[in-house]
Coordinates of all heavy atoms in Angstrom, one line a residue:
M664 N -163.5 119.8 -87.2 CA -164.0 120.0 -88.5 C -163.1 119.3 -89.5 O -161.9 119.3 -89.5 CB -164.0 121.5 -88.8 CG -164.5 121.8 -90.2 SD -164.7 123.6 -90.3 CE -165.5 123.7 -91.8
I665 N -163.8 118.6 -90.4 CA -163.1 117.8 -91.4 C -162.6 118.7 -92.5 O -163.3 119.6 -93.1 CB -164.0 116.7 -92.0 CG1 -164.5 115.8 -90.9 CG2 -163.3 116.0 -93.1 CD1 -165.5 114.8 -91.4
K666 N -161.3 118.5 -92.9 CA -160.8 119.4 -93.9 C -161.1 118.8 -95.3 O -161.2 117.6 -95.5 CB -159.2 119.4 -93.8 CG -158.8 120.1 -92.6 CD -157.3 120.3 -92.5 CE -156.9 121.0 -91.3 NZ -155.4 121.1 -91.2
W667 N -161.3 119.8 -96.2 CA -161.7 119.4 -97.6 C -160.6 118.6 -98.3 O -160.9 117.7 -99.1 CB -161.9 120.7 -98.4 CG -162.3 120.4 -99.8 CD1 -161.5 120.7 -100.9 CD2 -163.4 119.8 -100.4 NE1 -162.1 120.3 -102.1 CE2 -163.3 119.8 -101.7 CE3 -164.6 119.3 -99.8 CZ2 -164.3 119.2 -102.6 CZ3 -165.5 118.8 -100.6 CH2 -165.4 118.7 -102.0
K668 N -159.4 118.8 -97.9 CA -158.2 118.1 -98.5 C -158.3 116.6 -98.1 O -158.0 115.7 -98.9 CB -156.9 118.7 -97.9 CG -155.7 118.3 -98.7 CD -154.5 119.1 -98.2 CE -153.3 118.9 -99.0 NZ -152.2 119.6 -98.6
N669 N -158.7 116.3 -96.8 CA -158.8 114.9 -96.4 C -160.0 114.2 -97.1 O -159.9 113.0 -97.5 CB -159.0 114.8 -94.9 CG -157.8 115.2 -94.1 OD1 -156.7 115.2 -94.6 ND2 -158.0 115.6 -92.9
I670 N -161.1 114.9 -97.3 CA -162.2 114.3 -98.0 C -161.8 114.0 -99.5 O -162.1 112.9 -100.0 CB -163.4 115.2 -97.9 CG1 -163.9 115.3 -96.5 CG2 -164.6 114.7 -98.8 CD1 -165.0 116.3 -96.3
K671 N -161.2 114.9 -100.1 CA -160.7 114.8 -101.5 C -159.8 113.6 -101.6 O -159.9 112.8 -102.6 CB -160.1 116.1 -101.9 CG -160.0 116.3 -103.4 CD -159.5 117.7 -103.6 CE -159.3 117.9 -105.1 NZ -158.8 119.3 -105.3
K672 N -158.9 113.4 -100.7 CA -157.9 112.3 -100.8 C -158.6 111.0 -100.6 O -158.3 110.0 -101.3 CB -156.8 112.5 -99.7 CG -155.7 111.5 -99.8 CD -154.6 111.8 -98.8 CE -153.5 110.8 -98.9 NZ -152.4 111.1 -97.9
T673 N -159.5 110.9 -99.6 CA -160.3 109.7 -99.3 C -161.1 109.3 -100.5 O -161.1 108.1 -100.9 CB -161.2 109.9 -98.1 OG1 -160.4 110.3 -97.0 CG2 -161.9 108.6 -97.7
L674 N -161.8 110.2 -101.1 CA -162.6 109.9 -102.3 C -161.7 109.5 -103.5 O -162.1 108.5 -104.2 CB -163.4 111.2 -102.7 CG -164.7 111.5 -101.9 CD1 -165.3 112.8 -102.3 CD2 -165.6 110.3 -102.0
S675 N -160.6 110.1 -103.7 CA -159.8 109.7 -104.8 C -159.2 108.3 -104.6 O -159.1 107.5 -105.6 CB -158.6 110.7 -105.0 OG -157.7 110.7 -103.9
V676 N -158.8 108.0 -103.4 CA -158.3 106.6 -103.1 C -159.5 105.6 -103.3 O -159.3 104.5 -103.9 CB -157.8 106.5 -101.7 CG1 -157.5 105.1 -101.3 CG2 -156.5 107.3 -101.6
G677 N -160.7 105.9 -102.9 CA -161.8 105.0 -103.0 C -162.2 104.8 -104.5 O -162.4 103.7 -104.9
F678 N -162.2 105.9 -105.2 CA -162.5 105.7 -106.7 C -161.4 105.0 -107.4 O -161.7 104.2 -108.3 CB -162.8 107.1 -107.3 CG -164.1 107.7 -106.9 CD1 -164.2 109.1 -106.6 CD2 -165.3 107.0 -106.9 CE1 -165.4 109.6 -106.2 CE2 -166.5 107.5 -106.5 CZ -166.5 108.8 -106.2
T679 N -160.2 105.2 -107.0 CA -159.1 104.4 -107.6 C -159.2 103.0 -107.4 O -159.0 102.1 -108.2 CB -157.7 105.0 -107.1 OG1 -157.7 106.4 -107.4 CG2 -156.6 104.3 -107.8
A680 N -159.6 102.6 -106.1 CA -159.8 101.2 -105.8 C -160.9 100.6 -106.6 O -160.8 99.5 -107.1 CB -160.0 101.0 -104.3
I681 N -162.0 101.3 -106.7 CA -163.2 100.8 -107.5 C -162.8 100.6 -109.0 O -163.1 99.7 -109.6 CB -164.4 101.8 -107.4 CG1 -164.9 101.7 -105.9 CG2 -165.5 101.5 -108.4 CD1 -166.0 102.8 -105.6
L682 N -162.0 101.6 -109.5 CA -161.6 101.5 -110.9 C -160.7 100.3 -111.1 O -160.8 99.6 -112.1 CB -160.9 102.8 -111.3 CG -160.5 102.9 -112.8 CD1 -161.7 103.0 -113.6 CD2 -159.6 104.1 -113.0
A683 N -159.8 100.1 -110.2 CA -158.8 99.0 -110.3 C -159.6 97.7 -110.2 O -159.3 96.7 -110.9 CB -157.8 99.0 -109.2
F684 N -160.6 97.6 -109.3 CA -161.4 96.4 -109.2 C -162.2 96.1 -110.5 O -162.3 95.0 -110.9 CB -162.3 96.5 -108.0 CG -163.3 95.3 -107.9 CD1 -162.8 94.1 -107.4 CD2 -164.6 95.4 -108.2 CE1 -163.6 93.0 -107.3 CE2 -165.4 94.3 -108.1 CZ -164.9 93.1 -107.7
S685 N -162.7 97.1 -111.1 CA -163.5 97.0 -112.3 C -162.6 96.5 -113.5 O -163.1 95.9 -114.4 CB -164.3 98.2 -112.7 OG -163.4 99.2 -113.0
L686 N -161.4 96.9 -113.5 CA -160.5 96.4 -114.5 C -160.1 95.0 -114.3 O -159.8 94.3 -115.3 CB -159.2 97.3 -114.6 CG -159.4 98.7 -115.1 CD1 -158.1 99.5 -114.9 CD2 -159.8 98.7 -116.5
I687 N -160.0 94.5 -113.1 CA -159.5 93.2 -112.8 C -160.7 92.2 -112.9 O -160.5 91.0 -113.3 CB -158.9 93.1 -111.4 CG1 -157.6 93.9 -111.5 CG2 -158.6 91.7 -111.0 CD1 -156.9 94.1 -110.1
S688 N -161.9 92.6 -112.5 CA -163.0 91.7 -112.4 C -163.4 91.0 -113.7 O -163.8 89.8 -113.7 CB -164.2 92.4 -111.8 OG -164.6 93.4 -112.6
P689 N -163.3 91.6 -114.9 CA -163.7 90.9 -116.1 C -162.7 89.7 -116.4 O -163.1 88.8 -117.1 CB -163.6 92.0 -117.2 CG -163.8 93.2 -116.6 CD -163.2 93.1 -115.2
V690 N -161.5 89.8 -115.9 CA -160.5 88.7 -116.1 C -161.1 87.4 -115.5 O -160.9 86.3 -116.0 CB -159.2 89.1 -115.6 CG1 -158.2 87.9 -115.6 CG2 -158.6 90.3 -116.3
Y691 N -161.7 87.6 -114.4 CA -162.2 86.4 -113.6 C -163.7 86.1 -114.0 O -164.3 85.3 -113.3 CB -162.1 86.7 -112.1 CG -160.7 86.9 -111.7 CD1 -160.2 88.1 -111.3 CD2 -159.8 85.8 -111.7 CE1 -158.9 88.3 -110.9 CE2 -158.5 86.0 -111.3 CZ -158.1 87.2 -110.9 OH -156.8 87.4 -110.5
A692 N -164.2 86.6 -115.0 CA -165.5 86.3 -115.5 C -165.6 84.8 -115.9 O -164.7 84.3 -116.5 CB -166.0 87.2 -116.6
D693 N -166.8 84.2 -115.5 CA -167.0 82.8 -115.8 C -167.4 82.7 -117.3 O -168.3 83.4 -117.7 CB -168.0 82.3 -114.9 CG -168.2 80.8 -115.0 OD1 -167.3 80.1 -115.6 OD2 -169.1 80.2 -114.5
S694 N -166.8 81.8 -118.0 CA -167.2 81.6 -119.4 C -168.3 80.6 -119.6 O -168.6 80.2 -120.7 CB -165.9 81.2 -120.2 OG -165.5 79.9 -119.7
S695 N -168.9 80.1 -118.6 CA -170.0 79.1 -118.7 C -171.3 79.8 -119.0 O -172.3 79.1 -118.8 CB -170.0 78.3 -117.4 OG -170.4 79.1 -116.3
T696 N -171.3 81.0 -119.3 CA -172.6 81.7 -119.6 C -173.2 81.3 -120.9 O -174.4 81.4 -121.2 CB -172.4 83.2 -119.6 OG1 -171.5 83.6 -120.6 CG2 -172.0 83.7 -118.2
T697 N -172.4 80.7 -121.8 CA -172.9 80.2 -123.1 C -173.7 78.9 -122.9 O -173.2 78.0 -122.2 CB -171.8 80.0 -124.1 OG1 -170.9 79.1 -123.6 CG2 -171.1 81.4 -124.4
S698 N -174.8 78.8 -123.5 CA -175.6 77.6 -123.3 C -175.1 76.5 -124.3 O -174.7 76.8 -125.4 CB -177.1 77.9 -123.4 OG -177.3 78.2 -124.8
S699 N -175.2 75.3 -123.9 CA -174.9 74.2 -124.8 C -175.9 74.0 -125.9 O -175.6 73.5 -127.0 CB -174.7 72.9 -124.0 OG -176.0 72.6 -123.4
A700 N -177.1 74.4 -125.6 CA -178.2 74.3 -126.7 C -177.8 75.3 -127.8 O -178.0 75.0 -129.0 CB -179.5 74.7 -126.1
G701 N -177.3 76.5 -127.5 CA -177.0 77.5 -128.5 C -175.8 77.0 -129.3 O -175.7 77.2 -130.5
A702 N -174.8 76.3 -128.7 CA -173.7 75.8 -129.4 C -174.0 74.7 -130.3 O -173.5 74.6 -131.4 CB -172.6 75.4 -128.4
S703 N -175.0 73.9 -129.9 CA -175.4 72.7 -130.8 C -176.1 73.2 -132.0 O -176.0 72.7 -133.1 CB -176.2 71.7 -130.0 OG -177.4 72.3 -129.6
S704 N -176.9 74.3 -131.8 CA -177.7 74.8 -133.0 C -176.7 75.5 -134.0 O -176.9 75.4 -135.2 CB -178.8 75.8 -132.5 OG -178.2 76.9 -132.0
I705 N -175.7 76.1 -133.5 CA -174.7 76.7 -134.3 C -173.9 75.7 -135.1 O -173.7 75.8 -136.3 CB -173.8 77.6 -133.5 CG1 -174.5 78.8 -133.0 CG2 -172.6 78.1 -134.4 CD1 -173.8 79.7 -132.1
S706 N -173.5 74.6 -134.4 CA -172.7 73.6 -135.1 C -173.6 72.8 -136.1 O -173.1 72.2 -137.0 CB -172.1 72.6 -134.1 OG -173.1 71.9 -133.4
A707 N -174.9 72.8 -135.9 CA -175.8 72.2 -136.9 C -175.8 73.0 -138.2 O -176.1 72.4 -139.3 CB -177.2 72.0 -136.3
K708 N -175.6 74.3 -138.1 CA -175.7 75.1 -139.3 C -174.4 75.1 -140.1 O -174.4 75.4 -141.3 CB -176.0 76.5 -138.9 CG -177.4 76.7 -138.3 CD -177.7 78.1 -138.0 CE -179.1 78.3 -137.4 NZ -179.4 79.7 -137.0
V709 N -173.3 74.7 -139.4 CA -172.0 74.7 -140.1 C -171.7 73.3 -140.6 O -172.0 72.3 -140.0 CB -170.9 75.1 -139.0 CG1 -169.5 75.0 -139.7 CG2 -171.1 76.5 -138.5
S710 N -171.2 73.3 -141.8 CA -171.0 72.0 -142.5 C -169.9 71.2 -141.7 O -169.0 71.8 -141.1 CB -170.6 72.2 -143.9 OG -169.3 72.8 -144.0
A711 N -170.0 69.9 -141.8 CA -169.0 69.0 -141.2 C -167.6 69.2 -141.8 O -166.6 69.1 -141.1 CB -169.5 67.6 -141.3
K712 N -167.6 69.5 -143.1 CA -166.3 69.7 -143.8 C -165.6 70.9 -143.2 O -164.4 70.9 -143.0 CB -166.5 69.8 -145.3 CG -165.3 70.0 -146.1 CD -165.6 70.1 -147.5 CE -164.3 70.4 -148.3 NZ -164.6 70.6 -149.8
L713 N -166.3 72.0 -142.9 CA -165.7 73.2 -142.4 C -165.3 72.9 -140.9 O -164.2 73.4 -140.5 CB -166.7 74.3 -142.4 CG -166.2 75.7 -141.9 CD1 -165.1 76.1 -142.8 CD2 -167.3 76.7 -141.9
N714 N -166.0 72.2 -140.2 CA -165.6 71.8 -138.8 C -164.3 71.0 -138.8 O -163.4 71.2 -138.0 CB -166.7 71.0 -138.1 CG -167.8 71.9 -137.6 OD1 -167.6 73.1 -137.3 ND2 -169.0 71.4 -137.5
Q715 N -164.2 70.1 -139.8 CA -162.9 69.3 -139.9 C -161.8 70.2 -140.2 O -160.7 70.1 -139.7 CB -163.1 68.2 -140.9 CG -164.0 67.1 -140.5 CD -164.3 66.1 -141.6 OE1 -163.8 66.3 -142.7 NE2 -165.0 65.0 -141.3
Q716 N -162.0 71.2 -141.1 CA -160.9 72.1 -141.5 C -160.5 73.0 -140.3 O -159.3 73.2 -140.1 CB -161.4 73.0 -142.6 CG -161.5 72.3 -144.0 CD -162.0 73.2 -145.1 OE1 -162.5 74.3 -144.8 NE2 -161.9 72.7 -146.3
F717 N -161.5 73.4 -139.5 CA -161.1 74.1 -138.3 C -160.4 73.3 -137.3 O -159.5 73.8 -136.6 CB -162.4 74.7 -137.6 CG -162.8 76.1 -138.1 CD1 -164.0 76.3 -138.7 CD2 -161.9 77.1 -138.0 CE1 -164.3 77.6 -139.2 CE2 -162.2 78.4 -138.4 CZ -163.5 78.6 -139.0
S718 N -160.7 72.0 -137.2 CA -160.0 71.2 -136.2 C -158.5 70.9 -136.7 O -157.6 70.7 -135.9 CB -160.7 69.9 -136.0 OG -160.8 69.1 -137.2
A719 N -158.3 70.9 -138.0 CA -157.0 70.7 -138.6 C -156.1 71.9 -138.6 O -154.9 71.8 -138.4 CB -157.1 70.1 -140.0
S720 N -156.7 73.1 -138.8 CA -156.0 74.3 -138.9 C -156.6 75.4 -138.1 O -157.9 75.4 -137.9 CB -155.9 74.7 -140.3 OG -155.2 76.0 -140.5
E721 N -155.8 76.4 -137.6 CA -156.3 77.5 -136.8 C -157.1 78.5 -137.7 O -158.1 79.1 -137.3 CB -155.2 78.2 -136.1 CG -155.7 79.3 -135.2 CD -154.6 79.9 -134.4 OE1 -153.4 79.4 -134.5 OE2 -154.8 80.9 -133.7
Y722 N -156.6 78.7 -139.0 CA -157.1 79.6 -139.9 C -157.7 78.9 -141.1 O -157.0 78.1 -141.7 CB -156.1 80.6 -140.3 CG -155.5 81.4 -139.2 CD1 -154.2 81.2 -138.7 CD2 -156.2 82.4 -138.6 CE1 -153.7 81.9 -137.7 CE2 -155.7 83.1 -137.5 CZ -154.5 82.9 -137.1 OH -153.9 83.6 -136.0
V723 N -159.0 79.2 -141.4 CA -159.6 78.6 -142.5 C -160.4 79.7 -143.3 O -161.0 80.6 -142.8 CB -160.7 77.5 -142.0 CG1 -161.5 76.9 -143.2 CG2 -160.0 76.4 -141.3
T724 N -160.3 79.6 -144.6 CA -161.0 80.5 -145.5 C -162.4 79.9 -145.9 O -162.4 78.7 -146.3 CB -160.2 80.8 -146.8 OG1 -159.0 81.3 -146.4 CG2 -160.9 81.8 -147.6
Y725 N -163.5 80.6 -145.7 CA -164.8 80.1 -146.0 C -165.7 81.3 -146.5 O -165.4 82.4 -146.3 CB -165.4 79.4 -144.8 CG -165.5 80.2 -143.6 CD1 -166.7 80.9 -143.3 CD2 -164.5 80.3 -142.7 CE1 -166.8 81.7 -142.2 CE2 -164.6 81.1 -141.5 CZ -165.8 81.7 -141.3 OH -165.9 82.5 -140.2
L726 N -166.8 81.0 -147.1 CA -167.7 81.9 -147.6 C -169.0 81.8 -146.9 O -169.5 80.7 -146.7 CB -167.9 81.7 -149.1 CG -168.8 82.6 -149.8 CD1 -168.3 84.1 -149.8 CD2 -169.1 82.2 -151.3
V727 N -169.5 83.0 -146.4 CA -170.8 83.0 -145.7 C -171.9 83.4 -146.7 O -171.7 84.5 -147.3 CB -170.7 83.9 -144.5 CG1 -172.1 84.0 -143.8 CG2 -169.7 83.5 -143.5
K728 N -172.9 82.6 -146.8 CA -174.0 83.0 -147.7 C -175.2 83.3 -146.8 O -175.6 82.5 -146.0 CB -174.4 81.9 -148.7 CG -173.3 81.6 -149.7 CD -173.7 80.5 -150.7 CE -172.6 80.3 -151.7 NZ -173.0 79.3 -152.7
L729 N -175.8 84.5 -147.0 CA -176.9 85.0 -146.2 C -178.2 84.6 -147.0 O -178.2 84.6 -148.2 CB -176.8 86.5 -146.0 CG -175.5 86.9 -145.3 CD1 -175.5 88.5 -145.2 CD2 -175.4 86.4 -143.9
K730 N -179.3 84.4 -146.2 CA -180.5 84.1 -146.8 C -181.1 85.3 -147.6 O -181.6 85.2 -148.7 CB -181.5 83.7 -145.8 CG -181.2 82.3 -145.2 CD -182.3 81.9 -144.2 CE -182.0 80.6 -143.6 NZ -183.0 80.2 -142.5
D731 N -181.0 86.5 -147.0 CA -181.6 87.7 -147.5 C -180.4 88.6 -148.0 O -179.5 88.8 -147.2 CB -182.5 88.5 -146.5 CG -183.7 87.6 -146.1 OD1 -184.2 86.9 -147.0 OD2 -184.1 87.7 -145.0
Q732 N -180.6 89.2 -149.2 CA -179.6 90.1 -149.7 C -180.2 91.5 -149.8 O -181.4 91.6 -150.1 CB -179.0 89.6 -151.0 CG -178.3 88.3 -151.0 CD -177.0 88.4 -150.2 OE1 -176.3 89.4 -150.3 NE2 -176.7 87.3 -149.5
V733 N -179.4 92.5 -149.7 CA -179.9 93.9 -149.8 C -179.8 94.3 -151.2 O -178.8 94.1 -151.9 CB -179.1 94.8 -148.9 CG1 -179.5 96.3 -149.1 CG2 -179.3 94.4 -147.4
D734 N -180.8 95.0 -151.8 CA -180.7 95.5 -153.1 C -180.1 96.9 -153.0 O -180.9 97.9 -152.7 CB -182.1 95.6 -153.7 CG -182.1 96.1 -155.1 OD1 -181.0 96.1 -155.7 OD2 -183.2 96.4 -155.7
T735 N -178.8 97.1 -153.2 CA -178.1 98.3 -152.9 C -178.5 99.4 -153.9 O -178.6 100.6 -153.5 CB -176.6 98.1 -153.0 OG1 -176.3 97.5 -154.2 CG2 -176.2 97.2 -151.8
E736 N -178.9 99.1 -155.1 CA -179.3 100.1 -156.1 C -180.6 100.7 -155.7 O -180.7 102.0 -155.8 CB -179.4 99.5 -157.5 CG -178.1 99.0 -158.1 CD -178.2 98.5 -159.5 OE1 -179.3 98.6 -160.1 OE2 -177.2 97.9 -159.9
S737 N -181.5 100.0 -155.2 CA -182.8 100.6 -154.8 C -182.7 101.4 -153.6 O -183.3 102.5 -153.4 CB -183.9 99.5 -154.6 OG -183.6 98.7 -153.5
V738 N -181.8 101.0 -152.7 CA -181.6 101.8 -151.5 C -180.9 103.1 -151.8 O -181.2 104.2 -151.3 CB -180.7 101.0 -150.5 CG1 -180.2 101.9 -149.3 CG2 -181.4 99.8 -149.9
A739 N -179.9 103.1 -152.7 CA -179.3 104.3 -153.2 C -180.2 105.2 -153.9 O -180.2 106.5 -153.7 CB -178.1 104.0 -154.1
K740 N -181.1 104.7 -154.7 CA -182.1 105.5 -155.4 C -183.1 106.2 -154.4 O -183.4 107.3 -154.5 CB -182.9 104.7 -156.4 CG -182.1 104.4 -157.7 CD -183.0 103.5 -158.6 CE -182.2 103.1 -159.9 NZ -183.0 102.3 -160.8
H741 N -183.5 105.4 -153.4 CA -184.4 105.9 -152.4 C -183.7 107.0 -151.6 O -184.3 108.0 -151.3 CB -184.8 104.8 -151.5 CG -185.7 105.2 -150.4 ND1 -187.0 105.7 -150.6 CD2 -185.5 105.3 -149.1 CE1 -187.6 106.0 -149.5 NE2 -186.7 105.8 -148.5
A742 N -182.5 106.8 -151.3 CA -181.7 107.9 -150.5 C -181.5 109.1 -151.4 O -181.6 110.2 -150.9 CB -180.4 107.3 -150.1
F743 N -181.3 109.0 -152.7 CA -181.1 110.1 -153.6 C -182.5 110.9 -153.7 O -182.5 112.1 -153.7 CB -180.6 109.7 -154.9 CG -180.4 110.8 -155.9 CD1 -179.3 111.7 -155.7 CD2 -181.2 111.1 -156.9 CE1 -179.1 112.7 -156.5 CE2 -181.0 112.1 -157.8 CZ -179.9 113.0 -157.6
Q744 N -183.6 110.1 -153.8 CA -184.9 110.8 -153.9 C -185.2 111.5 -152.6 O -185.7 112.7 -152.7 CB -186.0 109.7 -154.2 CG -185.9 109.2 -155.6 CD -186.9 108.0 -155.8 OE1 -187.5 107.6 -154.8 NE2 -187.0 107.5 -157.0
K745 N -184.9 111.0 -151.5 CA -185.1 111.6 -150.2 C -184.3 112.9 -150.1 O -184.7 113.9 -149.6 CB -184.8 110.6 -149.1 CG -185.2 111.1 -147.7 CD -184.9 110.1 -146.7 CE -185.1 110.6 -145.3 NZ -184.8 109.7 -144.2
A746 N -183.0 112.8 -150.5 CA -182.1 113.9 -150.5 C -182.6 115.0 -151.4 O -182.5 116.2 -151.0 CB -180.7 113.5 -150.8
S747 N -183.0 114.7 -152.6 CA -183.5 115.7 -153.5 C -184.8 116.3 -153.0 O -185.1 117.5 -153.3 CB -183.6 115.2 -154.9 OG -184.5 114.1 -154.9
A748 N -185.6 115.6 -152.3 CA -186.9 116.1 -151.8 C -186.6 117.1 -150.7 O -187.4 118.1 -150.5 CB -187.8 115.0 -151.3
E749 N -185.6 116.9 -149.9 CA -185.2 117.8 -148.8 C -184.4 119.0 -149.3 O -184.2 119.9 -148.5 CB -184.4 117.0 -147.8 CG -185.2 115.9 -147.1 CD -184.4 115.1 -146.1 OE1 -183.2 115.4 -145.9 OE2 -185.0 114.2 -145.5
Q750 N -184.0 119.0 -150.6 CA -183.3 120.1 -151.2 C -182.0 120.5 -150.4 O -181.9 121.6 -149.9 CB -184.2 121.3 -151.3 CG -185.4 121.1 -152.3 CD -186.2 122.3 -152.4 OE1 -186.1 123.2 -151.7 NE2 -187.2 122.2 -153.4
I751 N -181.2 119.5 -150.2 CA -179.9 119.7 -149.5 C -178.8 119.9 -150.5 O -179.0 119.7 -151.7 CB -179.6 118.5 -148.5 CG1 -179.6 117.2 -149.3 CG2 -180.6 118.5 -147.4 CD1 -179.2 116.0 -148.4
S752 N -177.7 120.3 -150.1 CA -176.5 120.5 -151.0 C -176.1 119.2 -151.7 O -176.3 118.1 -151.2 CB -175.4 121.1 -150.2 OG -174.8 120.1 -149.3
P753 N -175.5 119.4 -152.8 CA -175.0 118.2 -153.6 C -174.0 117.3 -152.8 O -174.1 116.1 -152.9 CB -174.3 118.8 -154.8 CG -174.9 120.1 -155.0 CD -175.3 120.6 -153.6
A754 N -173.2 117.9 -152.0 CA -172.2 117.2 -151.2 C -173.0 116.3 -150.1 O -172.7 115.2 -149.9 CB -171.2 118.1 -150.5
A755 N -174.0 117.0 -149.5 CA -174.8 116.3 -148.5 C -175.6 115.2 -149.1 O -175.8 114.1 -148.5 CB -175.6 117.2 -147.7
A756 N -176.1 115.4 -150.3 CA -176.9 114.4 -151.0 C -176.0 113.2 -151.4 O -176.4 112.1 -151.2 CB -177.5 115.0 -152.3
K757 N -174.8 113.5 -151.8 CA -173.9 112.4 -152.1 C -173.5 111.6 -150.9 O -173.5 110.3 -150.9 CB -172.6 113.0 -152.7 CG -171.6 112.0 -153.3 CD -170.4 112.7 -153.9 CE -169.4 111.8 -154.5 NZ -168.3 112.5 -155.1
L758 N -173.4 112.3 -149.8 CA -173.1 111.6 -148.5 C -174.2 110.7 -148.1 O -174.1 109.6 -147.6 CB -172.7 112.6 -147.4 CG -172.3 112.0 -146.1 CD1 -171.1 111.1 -146.2 CD2 -172.1 113.1 -145.1
S759 N -175.5 111.2 -148.2 CA -176.6 110.5 -147.8 C -176.9 109.3 -148.7 O -177.3 108.2 -148.2 CB -177.9 111.4 -147.8 OG -178.3 111.7 -149.1
V760 N -176.5 109.4 -150.0 CA -176.6 108.2 -150.9 C -175.6 107.1 -150.5 O -175.9 106.0 -150.4 CB -176.5 108.6 -152.3 CG1 -176.3 107.4 -153.2 CG2 -177.6 109.5 -152.8
R761 N -174.4 107.6 -150.1 CA -173.4 106.6 -149.7 C -173.7 105.9 -148.4 O -173.4 104.8 -148.2 CB -172.0 107.3 -149.6 CG -171.5 107.6 -151.0 CD -170.1 108.2 -150.9 NE -169.5 108.5 -152.2 CZ -168.4 109.1 -152.4 NH1 -167.6 109.4 -151.4 NH2 -168.0 109.3 -153.6
T762 N -174.2 106.7 -147.5 CA -174.5 106.1 -146.1 C -175.8 105.4 -146.1 O -176.1 104.6 -145.2 CB -174.5 107.2 -145.0 OG1 -175.4 108.2 -145.3 CG2 -173.1 107.8 -144.9
G763 N -176.7 105.6 -147.0 CA -178.0 104.9 -147.1 C -179.0 105.6 -146.3 O -179.9 105.5 -145.8

């Protein structure tokens, strides 16, 4: 008859080996998963001047402009109206307005 202690020890050694392998395996992951087509479309969106600055220095300050902007005031008003319609406490209403 197999003792419970032996089964427990075997399982713990097996799970430890699996855990150690899962920690080591990401180190050997292949970085060729990025496609060259995706990289070329990204570099087309970035200005040539910024690319030159990145090649000259490791750290560059730049501003990202998004096409669509959020109207934060209307979102806050909508959240406040929703909170007041649900008749929740003032603290909870303030939190819902802040979190959107």
Side-chain angles (χ1 to χ4, degrees):
M664 181 171 184
I665 300 175
K666 293 184 179 181
W667 179 248
K668 195 174 191 179
N669 290 339
I670 292 173
K671 199 173 178 182
K672 185 176 181 179
T673 306
L674 283 175
S675 67
V676 168
F678 286 136
T679 303
I681 291 171
L682 184 68
F684 177 73
S685 68
L686 289 173
I687 294 171
S688 62
V690 173
Y691 297 110
D693 190 14
S694 65
S695 65
T696 57
T697 58
S698 65
S699 61
S703 65
S704 68
I705 291 172
S706 64
K708 293 180 181 180
V709 177
S710 69
K712 182 180 177 182
L713 184 62
N714 283 331
Q715 289 174 354
Q716 288 177 348
F717 269 120
S718 63
S720 176
E721 184 177 355
Y722 299 105
V723 176
T724 303
Y725 58 94
L726 180 65
V727 177
K728 293 185 180 180
L729 303 175
K730 290 182 182 178
D731 296 327
Q732 298 291 323
V733 176
D734 186 13
T735 55
E736 291 181 12
S737 67
V738 171
K740 285 180 185 177
H741 178 68
F743 183 72
Q744 289 172 353
K745 185 178 176 184
S747 60
E749 294 176 1
Q750 296 179 350
I751 57 177
S752 69
K757 188 176 181 179
L758 180 65
S759 70
V760 169
R761 286 185 179 176
T762 58

